[in-house]
Amino acid sequence: MKVLAIDTSNLVMGISVLDEGKVLGEYITNLKKNHSIRVMPAIEEVLKETGVKPADLDRIVVAKGPGSYTGVRIGVTIAKTLAWTLKKDLVGVSSLEVLAQSGKYFDGSVVPLFDARRTQLFTGLYGQDESGEFQNLWEDRIILLSDWLEKVKTLDKRILFVGNDLPLHQDTIKEVLGDQAVIGTVSDHNPRPSELGRIGMLRDPDDIHSFTPSYLQLAEAEVNWLKSQGK
């Protein structure tokens, strides 16, 4: 199975091409640049370098959010368009699940996080279940940092925190959790598009037409509009 993985859901932009058990190519940047004008050239370049033609692909895998509204929409729109026009499978994977893979061999729980502003986080809890499989243990959510820390504090194990937004919250995390909190190293914080593709190979395809991003909250403009309508 040949897979194209696309992640533009946050500041990190990642593209990868996989062929069964091999990562043929991977492109990652963590820059404040416009994804909309960079992602298609990046896809074309990775496909060219790996010698994979679009028609050779079997599946398009996309990070479906949460994250930046604009970023999520860009990736999902491109993935749906490619899957539809090329008549390929489409699979969406949680952006938090992709990031959490940085700690899949950690002896404890893993908390991936993206800043959601107003002292809120997009986050979830990942780790090994009773069978030893690394998976989502507490569903992805948007939650106040203080509430989330009180919740994970009840776990009788160490917790690895990963994500490029950690510097915004690291002091508070360490203050509340102390030695229970483990902060990932610099190379742990970028979600890997190859991990996105690997997960996507294992999932059942989504329906292209009904597939929608996972924002976990309404955009501010939508909230304001609902308030103006008295809803």
Side-chain angles (χ1 to χ4, degrees):
M1 179 187 291
K2 287 186 172 66
V3 170
L4 170 65
I6 304 167
D7 187 353
T8 64
S9 59
N10 287 277
L11 193 62
V12 173
M13 185 181 81
I15 309 296
S16 187
V17 175
L18 297 85
D19 186 1
E20 292 297 338
K22 181 183 291 185
V23 178
L24 299 181
E26 187 169 35
Y27 177 88
I28 305 172
T29 62
N30 183 16
L31 304 169
K32 290 184 178 180
K33 291 187 175 182
N34 193 332
H35 290 336
S36 64
I37 61 176
R38 300 174 60 237
V39 63
M40 282 308 300
I43 290 172
E44 292 172 3
E45 183 64 22
V46 175
L47 288 173
K48 178 182 176 181
E49 286 295 317
T50 56
V52 176
K53 297 178 181 179
D56 296 334
L57 295 168
D58 298 295
R59 178 167 290 190
I60 311 296
V61 182
V62 64
K64 65 179 182 179
S68 157
Y69 285 103
T70 302
V72 171
R73 283 195 295 268
I74 289 169
V76 168
T77 299
I78 289 174
K80 290 182 68 170
T81 301
L82 288 174
W84 171 247
T85 56
L86 297 172
K87 295 180 172 57
K88 308 298 182 181
D89 288 344
L90 173 69
V91 176
V93 178
S94 161
S95 302
L96 288 165
E97 182 177 1
V98 179
L99 176 57
Q101 303 308 308
S102 296
K104 62 184 176 183
Y105 299 119
F106 179 70
D107 183 20
S109 297
V110 182
V111 169
L113 64 83
F114 306 130
D115 182 61
R117 300 182 181 180
R118 304 184 183 88
T119 69
Q120 297 180 108
L121 305 175
F122 293 120
T123 190
L125 185 77
Y126 290 78
Q128 294 183 359
D129 62 12
E130 294 180 357
S131 67
E133 181 181 356
F134 186 80
Q135 64 175 323
N136 179 242
L137 301 178
W138 293 352
E139 66 181 10
D140 295 348
R141 67 195 70 194
I142 181 170
I143 187 171
L144 288 170
L145 172 63
S146 57
D147 291 345
W148 183 240
L149 293 180
E150 288 303 315
K151 185 173 178 64
V152 299
K153 190 176 181 179
T154 63
L155 296 170
D156 186 24
K157 58 182 64 178
R158 296 190 306 159
I159 304 165
L160 174 66
F161 288 82
V162 291
N164 283 306
D165 294 329
L166 261 174
L168 299 173
H169 308 290
Q170 183 171 325
D171 289 346
T172 303
I173 291 170
K174 294 297 290 185
E175 181 181 342
V176 174
L177 298 181
D179 292 339
Q180 187 182 11
V182 178
I183 305 301
T185 61
V186 64
S187 57
D188 295 327
H189 302 314
N190 283 356
R192 295 284 301 275
S194 54
E195 290 287 358
L196 169 63
R198 179 188 64 81
I199 296 169
M201 281 194 288
L202 305 175
R203 302 282 168 84
D204 292 331
D206 292 293
D207 177 73
I208 295 174
H209 295 292
S210 62
F211 179 76
T212 56
S214 175
Y215 294 123
L216 296 187
Q217 68 172 348
L218 295 174
E220 188 172 355
E222 293 174 300
V223 173
N224 291 336
W225 183 82
L226 288 171
K227 286 181 178 178
S228 71
Q229 303 299 308
K231 297 181 180 181

